[in-house]
Amino acid sequence: MEIKYTYQGLLIYLTIAAYICAFVARAIGIKKTAKTLYFVCFLIAAASFGYRWYHVRHVPFQNLFEVFLAMAMVVYPLSIFCRRLLRVGGEAADMLIGAIVLVPAGFVFSARPQHLPPALQCWLFAPHVAVYLLAYVIMAKAAVQALCQLKTTGDNTDSSLILYEKGTYRMICLGFPLLTLGLITGSWWGKLAWGDYWDWDPKELWGLVSWLVYVEYFHVRYMFGKKYPRLGSCLAILGAVVIVITLLWVNLSRLFAGLHSYAT
């Protein structure tokens, strides 16, 4: 565990505390206060991300510390977008997601600035990481909807089950093109940086596995969705698990050393 006694650390811990307070306020029914605190979370998270950008003098997507900072910042706008345009709720769960993704940045990963290696100075680096971190937050929301569906008791015509199933589907429909774009930009970037579109790097392979899990989700939903609606939810949760493996275990485990080792 690494406690950060810096301005950056202070901003991170304030954001975590604000997310937790917003969740508690929402849970006890103080909705107006919860919404205000939720917006404050976004402001502090954006300030934390901006401070890091100013500190390192490049887009802060280089390592896992910076990626988790960015993920905490995008939770709020994605939550508002999904609620207003896609009719997918779950704001309370989003508040928890915001707090959870900041825990590794606040207590696990080092905030020490690192030299930006030549491979990361390619113009594709920022959009490649950006679409992936957006996709990961969206797929986390999809997994929450899927968990709520699995907890729903009743037959396949139950209104709550149908609502959560549609929520899961809409979230994955939003996140899947971003996962696809992440694979495409990653391959293009690999060609420019390392001379080949595909190097069988562990991170590349697990990124492909996560994409294939969601392809299977669409297939299962189309073929068996009406008869076995909970089966798709299991795949949505499996996809989230594979994303965690791709984001964390592949980078941190000595078993998966590869071209993406800079992310640690």
Side-chain angles (χ1 to χ4, degrees), residues 8 19 24 29 38 43 69 109 112 119 163 206 211 245 261:
Q8 184 77 75
Y19 270 125
V24 172
Y38 197 18
L43 294 179
L69 279 184
F109 298 118
R112 184 177 65 255
L163 179 66
W206 279 100
W211 186 84
I245 293 174
S261 59

Side-chain angles (χ1 to χ4, degrees), residues 205-246:
L205 291 173
W206 279 100
L208 178 61
V209 170
S210 63
W211 186 84
L212 290 173
V213 170
Y214 291 107
V215 170
E216 182 64 15
Y217 166 84
F218 287 120
H219 172 72
V220 167
R221 187 180 187 273
Y222 177 78
M223 296 295 295
F224 312 108
K226 292 183 178 180
K227 189 174 182 180
Y228 305 108
R230 290 182 174 86
L231 187 57
S233 292
C234 293
L235 285 170
I237 295 169
L238 175 62
V241 172
V242 174
I243 283 174
V244 171
I245 293 174
T246 306

Side-chain angles (χ1 to χ4, degrees), residues 82-144:
C82 293
R83 179 170 58 85
R84 294 183 178 178
L85 276 78
L86 301 182
R87 307 288 182 181
V88 179
E91 277 189 339
D94 295 342
M95 295 167 187
L96 277 183
I97 290 173
I100 290 169
V101 298
L102 270 180
V103 170
F107 299 99
V108 179
F109 298 118
S110 173
R112 184 177 65 255
Q114 296 174 326
H115 173 69
L116 197 66
L120 302 192
Q121 297 174 20
C122 175
W123 69 271
L124 281 166
F125 164 59
H128 168 69
V129 178
V131 294
Y132 261 129
L133 69 86
L134 284 170
Y136 288 170
V137 174
I138 292 167
M139 293 315 190
K141 282 179 61 62
V144 170

Side-chain angles (χ1 to χ4, degrees), residues 12-23:
I12 292 172
Y13 302 137
L14 283 175
T15 309
I16 294 174
Y19 270 125
I20 294 173
C21 290
F23 172 77

Side-chain angles (χ1 to χ4, degrees), residues 186-210:
S187 296
W188 189 4
W189 174 26
K191 177 64 175 179
L192 296 178
W194 292 290
D196 205 347
Y197 291 104
W198 192 264
D199 286 297
W200 300 103
D201 183 75
K203 186 98 176 208
E204 294 174 348
L205 291 173
W206 279 100
L208 178 61
V209 170
S210 63

Side-chain angles (χ1 to χ4, degrees), residues 133-171:
L133 69 86
L134 284 170
Y136 288 170
V137 174
I138 292 167
M139 293 315 190
K141 282 179 61 62
V144 170
Q145 293 289 313
L147 284 169
C148 291
Q149 181 190 350
L150 292 179
K151 289 174 61 179
T152 302
T153 57
D155 57 26
N156 294 346
T157 61
D158 184 273
S159 59
S160 295
L161 186 146
I162 294 173
L163 179 66
Y164 288 128
E165 195 280 330
K166 288 184 177 179
T168 304
Y169 175 67
R170 289 170 183 169
M171 297 303 335

